[in-house]
Amino acid sequence: MEKYNEFLDRINSFEKNKFVLCDNNFLPNLSVLKKVNANNCFSCFYGDTVVFELSHQDKIKISKIVDKLYQSVPECFCEKLVSDTFHMTLHDLSNSPVLDKVESKMSENKAKLVSKINKVPVADLKIKMKTNNIFNMVNTSLVLGLYPANAAEYEKLMSLYEYVDDIMNLSYPFTPHITLAYYNRNGFLHSSVLYLEKLVNKLNEQSFNIEISTEKLVYQNFMSMNEYKNIFNLA
């Protein structure tokens, strides 16, 4: 596991205060085409995940940021995310645009997680987080970075991450974030890139605190990036 300072160094290497997207017209990662259809609406996309649901107050704060993005540069994004879906993912599990290819893995993940919870109950924890900067997530989406307020909060968060990572180990490091918007699957012109950069740089002047809690730590199934179903709470 990374030490707290190592974690901060890593995320701050790409979650920069000055947002720069590209020098030309923007084309999204091809993975967007799996999640967004030709009408720029969310396609069927199936899987399971463990997330922290946000408080009502925090969802309102995130909604204001998203509204500003869509009011200012709607051409940069696909269908708007429903505010009820806003969350911070603790751990990805499985996903596929074809349900048959992932259904058995989802059942396996669920069974393993239930078994582990029965053997080792999840601790009752509250974790203080801070918002970092809005950044480009591998050319698929615009996201708001988060980080634990101090080393003690980081240890609590990572204990929960490792709890779920024991179910299915991931090959990439944990980067806490809240997804704000997925990009337009067709991309957009450089003129819009410049406007988006200016807007995000303005939005990055603000920051606020977020508290997450195991009371809102949920195993979910999803049917698209805009449709999640709570299956059970971990604590």
Side-chain angles (χ1 to χ4, degrees), residues 113-131:
L113 196 51
V114 168
S115 176
K116 178 152 190 175
I117 291 168
N118 288 335
K119 292 174 184 174
V120 185
V122 174
D124 181 13
L125 297 174
K126 296 184 187 301
I127 303 171
K128 293 180 175 63
M129 306 286 290
K130 294 178 178 290
T131 63

Side-chain angles (χ1 to χ4, degrees), residues 95-223:
N95 64 77
S96 173
V98 181
L99 181 59
D100 287 348
K101 291 185 177 180
V102 77
E103 203 165 17
S104 62
K105 182 61 178 171
M106 290 167 63
S107 297
E108 179 185 333
N109 292 337
K110 179 182 176 182
K112 285 182 178 179
L113 196 51
V114 168
S115 176
K116 178 152 190 175
I117 291 168
N118 288 335
K119 292 174 184 174
V120 185
V122 174
D124 181 13
L125 297 174
K126 296 184 187 301
I127 303 171
K128 293 180 175 63
M129 306 286 290
K130 294 178 178 290
T131 63
N132 202 10
N133 292 308
I134 296 171
F135 67 99
N136 171 36
M137 180 64 87
V138 296
N139 285 354
T140 64
S141 56
L142 201 61
V143 307
L144 175 63
L146 301 172
Y147 64 97
N150 54 51
E153 301 301 295
Y154 175 73
E155 293 289 335
K156 289 191 284 186
L157 179 61
M158 292 310 297
S159 72
L160 295 171
Y161 179 85
E162 291 178 344
Y163 183 96
V164 183
D165 199 58
D166 187 50
I167 304 298
M168 193 183 80
N169 179 254
L170 296 177
S171 60
Y172 48 87
F174 179 37
T175 301
H177 66 273
I178 298 168
T179 301
L180 303 175
Y182 284 88
Y183 293 124
N184 183 324
R185 63 171 275 147
N186 302 311
F188 42 92
L189 297 175
H190 189 232
S191 57
S192 294
V193 169
L194 293 174
Y195 201 102
L196 177 60
E197 289 176 343
K198 182 178 179 181
L199 174 61
V200 171
N201 285 327
K202 184 68 177 175
L203 290 170
N204 280 343
E205 293 175 2
Q206 66 175 337
S207 63
F208 51 92
N209 299 326
I210 286 180
E211 185 176 81
I212 55 176
S213 167
T214 50
E215 290 180 358
K216 290 180 172 288
L217 184 59
V218 183
Y219 171 73
Q220 293 182 331
N221 289 351
F222 52 85
M223 290 61 75

